Amino acid sequence: RDANQEGDFTKALELADASLALRPTARGHIVRAQALQRLGRIDDALRTLDAAQRLAPTYATVFEVRGNILWAARRWDAAHDAYNQYLELDQDSARAEQIRARLLEPH
């Protein structure tokens, strides 16, 4: 996660892969997906989120990140679907309010 935040997406991907090799977790897949997105590998990022969802089907963050990636890729309908899934799982959080606002934005 730190490597992603520092802008070293290749390093973030390498570290996420190493972590997932030791112990597959939804969070590890999310970090990997974010690195892939920043490297321009959108479809790979979405497949990685599929793996995260299989491990933790009710982990709302998976759907938030999926929505963010799809939104940035201008895949509006799919982003709306992902955000709506997030809201079904976590409708009362502060992030839920931000997502509701995003869903109302014109694109």
Side-chain angles (χ1 to χ4, degrees):
R1 194 186 94 197
D2 291 342
N4 266 339
Q5 290 177 344
E6 293 168 4
D8 192 346
F9 310 125
T10 301
K11 180 179 179 183
L13 181 59
E14 291 170 2
L15 292 171
D17 286 342
S19 175
L20 289 167
L22 294 173
R23 182 169 171 249
T25 64
R27 187 73 199 137
H29 284 293
I30 288 170
V31 170
R32 184 176 195 277
Q34 290 169 324
L36 287 166
Q37 175 200 16
R38 291 178 179 115
L39 291 168
R41 296 170 54 189
I42 303 304
D43 291 329
D44 290 337
L46 295 172
R47 281 190 290 278
T48 296
L49 289 173
D50 291 341
Q53 187 177 341
R54 284 191 296 276
L55 287 172
T58 60
Y59 186 35
T61 302
V62 172
F63 298 99
E64 177 188 14
V65 171
R66 181 183 299 278
N68 293 343
I69 289 171
L70 290 164
W71 189 271
R74 298 176 174 255
R75 298 181 190 178
W76 312 120
D77 291 340
H80 279 248
D81 291 345
Y83 284 145
N84 284 321
Q85 287 177 296
Y86 172 86
L87 292 171
E88 286 179 23
L89 295 168
D90 193 6
Q91 58 187 327
D92 298 323
S93 71
R95 290 192 321 226
E97 288 305 312
Q98 294 168 343
I99 288 171
R100 282 188 193 92
R102 176 170 273 186
L103 288 171
L104 295 174
E105 291 176 15
H107 42 272

